[in-house]
Amino acid sequence: MNDITGDPREIATLLAIMARLRDPDGGCPWDLQQSFATIAPYTIEEAYEVADAIDRNDLGDLREELGDLLLQVVFHARMAQERGAFAFADVVAAICDKMLRRHPHVFAGASVDGVEAQTREWEAHKRRERDAAGEADTSALAGIARGLPEWQRALKLQQRAARVGFDWPGPEPVIAKLHEEIDEARVEFAAVAAAADDAQARDRLEDEIGDVLFVCANLARHARVDPGSALRRANAKFERRFRAMEALAAADGVSLSQLPLQAQDAYWERAKAAERA
């Protein structure tokens, strides 16, 4: 069996660094000022930077970003320890216990038939844990965190509903539904244009835009494509091409901001053509 213990010395050093930063007697003023709420956005940001390093296949950067993400765990654990709630060791113990408990096919001699079966068993374990904790919510959608990015929460809601059979049979009806939602959004755009100060019209438009995005997430799920990853790729592509547009315009001695849309579109097509080439 492979060794799964590791060397604790580096972790001990990191914990000592964080304790020193949070020491009221000579610690860092910025670190001392922080709370769970103020650090939470940084935790989310670091998780996305890990995902970005993975997308770029930059393993050196991934090492750095994983360290930054680990620091977030240590930071939260230190603040909890100061309140007498729990410490870093408790966090480690809890996740070790959970991983051993939820992988009986690895650590307890049980068997599981493939990845999909393991996913179902994982969810069953989570359900049993919620039941044991006395959770009153018995919905198939119970336990989906409200703090997730909304695209990710949409995906989880759809996955849970699909497990009880509430799902389209394939991508074609999802695409048809997407066209339907776009048509409904078009109607509400017209309503807002006709009555710009109508708050109800704007609310209806927001609802329809939300429906379009929700169906897009469902389409990604049927394609087995992560919508966050797909959007990151689209963002990267747009940024790459827009920067190329700016460079092409600058080479011609002009600024994009001074050009009409038709001329800007011409630079966009040139950027696309250069990328394909």
Side-chain angles (χ1 to χ4, degrees):
M1 180 176 179
N2 292 332
D3 180 21
I4 59 173
T5 56
D7 186 340
R9 288 174 296 179
E10 291 82 359
I11 288 292
T13 300
L14 180 57
L15 293 174
I17 289 170
M18 179 52 64
R20 183 72 181 92
L21 291 172
R22 291 280 297 180
D23 187 346
D25 183 15
C28 172
W30 186 90
D31 290 274
L32 285 165
Q33 192 179 41
Q34 303 313 306
S35 66
F36 294 117
T38 61
I39 289 297
Y42 295 101
T43 308
I44 295 169
E45 179 181 340
E46 295 299 349
Y48 276 113
E49 290 184 359
V50 167
D52 177 60
I54 293 169
D55 282 346
R56 292 184 284 103
N57 196 30
D58 188 334
L59 296 184
D61 199 20
L62 177 59
R63 180 192 61 195
E64 298 295 324
E65 298 301 344
L66 286 172
D68 290 344
L69 186 57
L70 176 59
L71 179 64
Q72 297 298 306
V73 178
V74 169
F75 207 141
H76 285 288
R78 180 64 198 180
M79 291 187 290
Q81 183 176 354
E82 291 166 0
R83 294 189 181 188
F86 59 84
F88 181 79
D90 301 306
V91 175
V92 175
I95 190 59
C96 287
D97 178 66
K98 181 185 292 184
M99 296 305 288
L100 292 170
R101 187 173 66 248
R102 291 187 181 178
H103 292 84
H105 56 291
V106 176
F107 300 108
S111 61
V112 66
D113 186 20
V115 174
E116 291 187 6
Q118 167 57 18
T119 300
R120 290 193 299 270
E121 186 60 23
W122 179 273
E123 291 297 330
H125 275 293
K126 291 170 67 176
R127 165 56 68 187
R128 288 192 291 270
E129 289 167 5
R130 290 195 296 269
D131 291 343
E135 184 175 306
D137 189 353
T138 60
S139 170
L141 306 180
I144 300 176
R146 296 188 179 277
L148 291 171
E150 293 302 335
W151 64 263
Q152 191 174 359
R153 193 160 192 272
L155 199 64
K156 286 186 175 291
L157 289 167
Q158 294 160 5
Q159 289 169 338
R160 291 285 190 86
R163 290 194 184 112
V164 299
F166 189 69
D167 194 12
W168 279 297
E172 288 304 322
V174 186
I175 293 171
K177 184 65 175 177
L178 179 58
H179 284 291
E180 176 187 327
E181 297 296 351
I182 290 172
D183 288 340
E184 291 177 3
R186 185 178 289 114
V187 170
E188 297 305 334
F189 266 113
V192 167
D197 295 330
D198 187 343
Q200 290 184 339
R202 294 208 62 84
D203 284 344
R204 290 195 302 272
L205 177 58
E206 183 174 334
D207 283 344
E208 295 302 337
I209 295 296
D211 289 345
V212 169
L213 295 173
F214 190 82
V215 175
C216 283
N218 215 338
L219 185 61
R221 181 177 64 87
H222 276 270
R224 298 190 177 185
V225 168
D226 176 69
S229 177
L231 187 54
R232 280 195 298 273
R233 292 181 66 171
N235 286 342
K237 179 165 58 178
F238 178 84
E239 181 177 7
R240 188 172 62 245
R241 290 178 178 176
F242 188 86
R243 288 179 181 275
M245 286 172 60
E246 291 176 316
L248 288 168
D252 289 341
V254 296
S255 171
L256 281 180
S257 62
Q258 304 300 317
L259 296 174
L261 181 58
Q262 184 176 5
Q264 291 181 345
D265 279 341
Y267 278 111
W268 176 263
E269 292 303 324
R270 284 178 60 186
K272 285 172 60 178
E275 189 174 271
R276 286 194 296 266

PDB file of all heavy atoms in Angstrom, residues 246-268:
ATOM      1  N   GLU A 246      -6.578  45.023 -31.367  1.00  0.00           N
ATOM      2  CA  GLU A 246      -5.915  46.258 -30.943  1.00  0.00           C
ATOM      3  C   GLU A 246      -4.526  46.378 -31.580  1.00  0.00           C
ATOM      4  O   GLU A 246      -4.121  47.467 -32.018  1.00  0.00           O
ATOM      5  CB  GLU A 246      -5.796  46.282 -29.418  1.00  0.00           C
ATOM      6  CG  GLU A 246      -7.122  46.440 -28.696  1.00  0.00           C
ATOM      7  CD  GLU A 246      -6.961  46.368 -27.190  1.00  0.00           C
ATOM      8  OE1 GLU A 246      -6.216  45.478 -26.710  1.00  0.00           O
ATOM      9  OE2 GLU A 246      -7.583  47.195 -26.496  1.00  0.00           O
ATOM     10  N   ALA A 247      -3.806  45.255 -31.619  1.00  0.00           N
ATOM     11  CA  ALA A 247      -2.456  45.281 -32.191  1.00  0.00           C
ATOM     12  C   ALA A 247      -2.504  45.573 -33.686  1.00  0.00           C
ATOM     13  O   ALA A 247      -1.678  46.347 -34.209  1.00  0.00           O
ATOM     14  CB  ALA A 247      -1.764  43.948 -31.934  1.00  0.00           C
ATOM     15  N   LEU A 248      -3.461  44.977 -34.390  1.00  0.00           N
ATOM     16  CA  LEU A 248      -3.590  45.214 -35.832  1.00  0.00           C
ATOM     17  C   LEU A 248      -3.938  46.679 -36.114  1.00  0.00           C
ATOM     18  O   LEU A 248      -3.379  47.298 -37.035  1.00  0.00           O
ATOM     19  CB  LEU A 248      -4.657  44.299 -36.414  1.00  0.00           C
ATOM     20  CG  LEU A 248      -4.296  42.812 -36.513  1.00  0.00           C
ATOM     21  CD1 LEU A 248      -5.538  41.989 -36.833  1.00  0.00           C
ATOM     22  CD2 LEU A 248      -3.221  42.590 -37.570  1.00  0.00           C
ATOM     23  N   ALA A 249      -4.848  47.209 -35.314  1.00  0.00           N
ATOM     24  CA  ALA A 249      -5.232  48.612 -35.507  1.00  0.00           C
ATOM     25  C   ALA A 249      -4.051  49.534 -35.218  1.00  0.00           C
ATOM     26  O   ALA A 249      -3.791  50.493 -35.959  1.00  0.00           O
ATOM     27  CB  ALA A 249      -6.417  48.957 -34.611  1.00  0.00           C
ATOM     28  N   ALA A 250      -3.320  49.231 -34.136  1.00  0.00           N
ATOM     29  CA  ALA A 250      -2.161  50.064 -33.790  1.00  0.00           C
ATOM     30  C   ALA A 250      -1.108  50.016 -34.890  1.00  0.00           C
ATOM     31  O   ALA A 250      -0.469  51.028 -35.199  1.00  0.00           O
ATOM     32  CB  ALA A 250      -1.573  49.589 -32.460  1.00  0.00           C
ATOM     33  N   ALA A 251      -0.940  48.839 -35.521  1.00  0.00           N
ATOM     34  CA  ALA A 251       0.023  48.713 -36.617  1.00  0.00           C
ATOM     35  C   ALA A 251      -0.384  49.559 -37.805  1.00  0.00           C
ATOM     36  O   ALA A 251       0.467  50.011 -38.584  1.00  0.00           O
ATOM     37  CB  ALA A 251       0.152  47.246 -37.030  1.00  0.00           C
ATOM     38  N   ASP A 252      -1.703  49.786 -37.938  1.00  0.00           N
ATOM     39  CA  ASP A 252      -2.203  50.640 -39.016  1.00  0.00           C
ATOM     40  C   ASP A 252      -2.257  52.108 -38.606  1.00  0.00           C
ATOM     41  O   ASP A 252      -2.733  52.961 -39.366  1.00  0.00           O
ATOM     42  CB  ASP A 252      -3.614  50.195 -39.437  1.00  0.00           C
ATOM     43  CG  ASP A 252      -3.589  48.856 -40.174  1.00  0.00           C
ATOM     44  OD1 ASP A 252      -2.507  48.470 -40.655  1.00  0.00           O
ATOM     45  OD2 ASP A 252      -4.653  48.202 -40.262  1.00  0.00           O
ATOM     46  N   GLY A 253      -1.826  52.386 -37.373  1.00  0.00           N
ATOM     47  CA  GLY A 253      -1.784  53.767 -36.908  1.00  0.00           C
ATOM     48  C   GLY A 253      -3.121  54.322 -36.473  1.00  0.00           C
ATOM     49  O   GLY A 253      -3.311  55.545 -36.463  1.00  0.00           O
ATOM     50  N   VAL A 254      -4.061  53.445 -36.089  1.00  0.00           N
ATOM     51  CA  VAL A 254      -5.385  53.909 -35.652  1.00  0.00           C
ATOM     52  C   VAL A 254      -5.720  53.289 -34.300  1.00  0.00           C
ATOM     53  O   VAL A 254      -5.107  52.308 -33.867  1.00  0.00           O
ATOM     54  CB  VAL A 254      -6.476  53.546 -36.681  1.00  0.00           C
ATOM     55  CG1 VAL A 254      -6.230  54.267 -38.001  1.00  0.00           C
ATOM     56  CG2 VAL A 254      -6.545  52.042 -36.901  1.00  0.00           C
ATOM     57  N   SER A 255      -6.714  53.871 -33.640  1.00  0.00           N
ATOM     58  CA  SER A 255      -7.208  53.354 -32.367  1.00  0.00           C
ATOM     59  C   SER A 255      -8.607  52.771 -32.573  1.00  0.00           C
ATOM     60  O   SER A 255      -9.444  53.371 -33.263  1.00  0.00           O
ATOM     61  CB  SER A 255      -7.271  54.475 -31.321  1.00  0.00           C
ATOM     62  OG  SER A 255      -7.938  54.036 -30.155  1.00  0.00           O
ATOM     63  N   LEU A 256      -8.852  51.600 -32.002  1.00  0.00           N
ATOM     64  CA  LEU A 256     -10.164  50.971 -32.155  1.00  0.00           C
ATOM     65  C   LEU A 256     -11.286  51.883 -31.691  1.00  0.00           C
ATOM     66  O   LEU A 256     -12.366  51.917 -32.290  1.00  0.00           O
ATOM     67  CB  LEU A 256     -10.220  49.663 -31.355  1.00  0.00           C
ATOM     68  CG  LEU A 256      -9.558  48.424 -31.945  1.00  0.00           C
ATOM     69  CD1 LEU A 256      -9.736  47.248 -30.992  1.00  0.00           C
ATOM     70  CD2 LEU A 256     -10.169  48.085 -33.310  1.00  0.00           C
ATOM     71  N   SER A 257     -11.039  52.621 -30.606  1.00  0.00           N
ATOM     72  CA  SER A 257     -12.097  53.457 -30.041  1.00  0.00           C
ATOM     73  C   SER A 257     -12.547  54.559 -30.995  1.00  0.00           C
ATOM     74  O   SER A 257     -13.632  55.123 -30.836  1.00  0.00           O
ATOM     75  CB  SER A 257     -11.634  54.075 -28.720  1.00  0.00           C
ATOM     76  OG  SER A 257     -10.512  54.917 -28.937  1.00  0.00           O
ATOM     77  N   GLN A 258     -11.713  54.882 -31.994  1.00  0.00           N
ATOM     78  CA  GLN A 258     -12.044  55.943 -32.939  1.00  0.00           C
ATOM     79  C   GLN A 258     -12.727  55.410 -34.201  1.00  0.00           C
ATOM     80  O   GLN A 258     -13.092  56.194 -35.088  1.00  0.00           O
ATOM     81  CB  GLN A 258     -10.769  56.702 -33.343  1.00  0.00           C
ATOM     82  CG  GLN A 258      -9.998  57.270 -32.160  1.00  0.00           C
ATOM     83  CD  GLN A 258     -10.832  58.249 -31.347  1.00  0.00           C
ATOM     84  OE1 GLN A 258     -11.540  59.084 -31.897  1.00  0.00           O
ATOM     85  NE2 GLN A 258     -10.748  58.121 -30.022  1.00  0.00           N
ATOM     86  N   LEU A 259     -12.925  54.087 -34.267  1.00  0.00           N
ATOM     87  CA  LEU A 259     -13.463  53.478 -35.474  1.00  0.00           C
ATOM     88  C   LEU A 259     -14.936  53.124 -35.313  1.00  0.00           C
ATOM     89  O   LEU A 259     -15.373  52.756 -34.218  1.00  0.00           O
ATOM     90  CB  LEU A 259     -12.684  52.204 -35.815  1.00  0.00           C
ATOM     91  CG  LEU A 259     -11.204  52.377 -36.158  1.00  0.00           C
ATOM     92  CD1 LEU A 259     -10.549  51.016 -36.327  1.00  0.00           C
ATOM     93  CD2 LEU A 259     -11.041  53.217 -37.421  1.00  0.00           C
ATOM     94  N   PRO A 260     -15.718  53.194 -36.393  1.00  0.00           N
ATOM     95  CA  PRO A 260     -17.097  52.712 -36.325  1.00  0.00           C
ATOM     96  C   PRO A 260     -17.121  51.187 -36.201  1.00  0.00           C
ATOM     97  O   PRO A 260     -16.115  50.508 -36.461  1.00  0.00           O
ATOM     98  CB  PRO A 260     -17.689  53.177 -37.661  1.00  0.00           C
ATOM     99  CG  PRO A 260     -16.515  53.278 -38.579  1.00  0.00           C
ATOM    100  CD  PRO A 260     -15.368  53.715 -37.723  1.00  0.00           C
ATOM    101  N   LEU A 261     -18.268  50.654 -35.812  1.00  0.00           N
ATOM    102  CA  LEU A 261     -18.379  49.226 -35.562  1.00  0.00           C
ATOM    103  C   LEU A 261     -18.010  48.406 -36.788  1.00  0.00           C
ATOM    104  O   LEU A 261     -17.365  47.350 -36.665  1.00  0.00           O
ATOM    105  CB  LEU A 261     -19.807  48.880 -35.106  1.00  0.00           C
ATOM    106  CG  LEU A 261     -20.067  47.406 -34.788  1.00  0.00           C
ATOM    107  CD1 LEU A 261     -19.142  46.896 -33.706  1.00  0.00           C
ATOM    108  CD2 LEU A 261     -21.532  47.204 -34.388  1.00  0.00           C
ATOM    109  N   GLN A 262     -18.404  48.849 -37.977  1.00  0.00           N
ATOM    110  CA  GLN A 262     -18.108  48.081 -39.187  1.00  0.00           C
ATOM    111  C   GLN A 262     -16.596  47.922 -39.378  1.00  0.00           C
ATOM    112  O   GLN A 262     -16.103  46.834 -39.727  1.00  0.00           O
ATOM    113  CB  GLN A 262     -18.719  48.768 -40.409  1.00  0.00           C
ATOM    114  CG  GLN A 262     -18.547  47.976 -41.697  1.00  0.00           C
ATOM    115  CD  GLN A 262     -19.259  48.647 -42.867  1.00  0.00           C
ATOM    116  OE1 GLN A 262     -19.803  49.733 -42.746  1.00  0.00           O
ATOM    117  NE2 GLN A 262     -19.237  47.970 -44.016  1.00  0.00           N
ATOM    118  N   ALA A 263     -15.833  48.985 -39.116  1.00  0.00           N
ATOM    119  CA  ALA A 263     -14.377  48.916 -39.246  1.00  0.00           C
ATOM    120  C   ALA A 263     -13.780  48.040 -38.142  1.00  0.00           C
ATOM    121  O   ALA A 263     -12.824  47.291 -38.377  1.00  0.00           O
ATOM    122  CB  ALA A 263     -13.779  50.322 -39.193  1.00  0.00           C
ATOM    123  N   GLN A 264     -14.344  48.109 -36.942  1.00  0.00           N
ATOM    124  CA  GLN A 264     -13.883  47.239 -35.870  1.00  0.00           C
ATOM    125  C   GLN A 264     -14.119  45.774 -36.211  1.00  0.00           C
ATOM    126  O   GLN A 264     -13.272  44.914 -35.955  1.00  0.00           O
ATOM    127  CB  GLN A 264     -14.588  47.595 -34.560  1.00  0.00           C
ATOM    128  CG  GLN A 264     -14.173  48.955 -33.991  1.00  0.00           C
ATOM    129  CD  GLN A 264     -14.886  49.251 -32.686  1.00  0.00           C
ATOM    130  OE1 GLN A 264     -15.867  48.608 -32.329  1.00  0.00           O
ATOM    131  NE2 GLN A 264     -14.397  50.244 -31.953  1.00  0.00           N
ATOM    132  N   ASP A 265     -15.287  45.484 -36.797  1.00  0.00           N
ATOM    133  CA  ASP A 265     -15.600  44.116 -37.212  1.00  0.00           C
ATOM    134  C   ASP A 265     -14.580  43.597 -38.224  1.00  0.00           C
ATOM    135  O   ASP A 265     -14.230  42.410 -38.227  1.00  0.00           O
ATOM    136  CB  ASP A 265     -17.008  44.040 -37.808  1.00  0.00           C
ATOM    137  CG  ASP A 265     -18.081  43.967 -36.736  1.00  0.00           C
ATOM    138  OD1 ASP A 265     -17.762  43.614 -35.588  1.00  0.00           O
ATOM    139  OD2 ASP A 265     -19.253  44.271 -37.053  1.00  0.00           O
ATOM    140  N   ALA A 266     -14.117  44.484 -39.092  1.00  0.00           N
ATOM    141  CA  ALA A 266     -13.122  44.074 -40.081  1.00  0.00           C
ATOM    142  C   ALA A 266     -11.826  43.643 -39.395  1.00  0.00           C
ATOM    143  O   ALA A 266     -11.201  42.646 -39.786  1.00  0.00           O
ATOM    144  CB  ALA A 266     -12.855  45.223 -41.058  1.00  0.00           C
ATOM    145  N   TYR A 267     -11.431  44.366 -38.344  1.00  0.00           N
ATOM    146  CA  TYR A 267     -10.247  43.961 -37.583  1.00  0.00           C
ATOM    147  C   TYR A 267     -10.486  42.649 -36.841  1.00  0.00           C
ATOM    148  O   TYR A 267      -9.577  41.822 -36.706  1.00  0.00           O
ATOM    149  CB  TYR A 267      -9.846  45.063 -36.598  1.00  0.00           C
ATOM    150  CG  TYR A 267      -9.036  46.168 -37.238  1.00  0.00           C
ATOM    151  CD1 TYR A 267      -9.564  47.445 -37.406  1.00  0.00           C
ATOM    152  CD2 TYR A 267      -7.728  45.929 -37.678  1.00  0.00           C
ATOM    153  CE1 TYR A 267      -8.825  48.460 -37.989  1.00  0.00           C
ATOM    154  CE2 TYR A 267      -6.981  46.938 -38.272  1.00  0.00           C
ATOM    155  CZ  TYR A 267      -7.529  48.205 -38.425  1.00  0.00           C
ATOM    156  OH  TYR A 267      -6.795  49.198 -39.013  1.00  0.00           O
ATOM    157  N   TRP A 268     -11.711  42.466 -36.346  1.00  0.00           N
ATOM    158  CA  TRP A 268     -12.055  41.207 -35.673  1.00  0.00           C
ATOM    159  C   TRP A 268     -11.883  40.026 -36.632  1.00  0.00           C
ATOM    160  O   TRP A 268     -11.312  38.997 -36.270  1.00  0.00           O
ATOM    161  CB  TRP A 268     -13.488  41.278 -35.155  1.00  0.00           C
ATOM    162  CG  TRP A 268     -13.995  40.009 -34.529  1.00  0.00           C
ATOM    163  CD1 TRP A 268     -14.749  39.035 -35.109  1.00  0.00           C
ATOM    164  CD2 TRP A 268     -13.766  39.570 -33.180  1.00  0.00           C
ATOM    165  NE1 TRP A 268     -15.012  38.024 -34.221  1.00  0.00           N
ATOM    166  CE2 TRP A 268     -14.428  38.322 -33.028  1.00  0.00           C
ATOM    167  CE3 TRP A 268     -13.087  40.106 -32.098  1.00  0.00           C
ATOM    168  CZ2 TRP A 268     -14.420  37.605 -31.833  1.00  0.00           C
ATOM    169  CZ3 TRP A 268     -13.082  39.399 -30.896  1.00  0.00           C
ATOM    170  CH2 TRP A 268     -13.736  38.167 -30.775  1.00  0.00           C
TER     171      TRP A 268
END
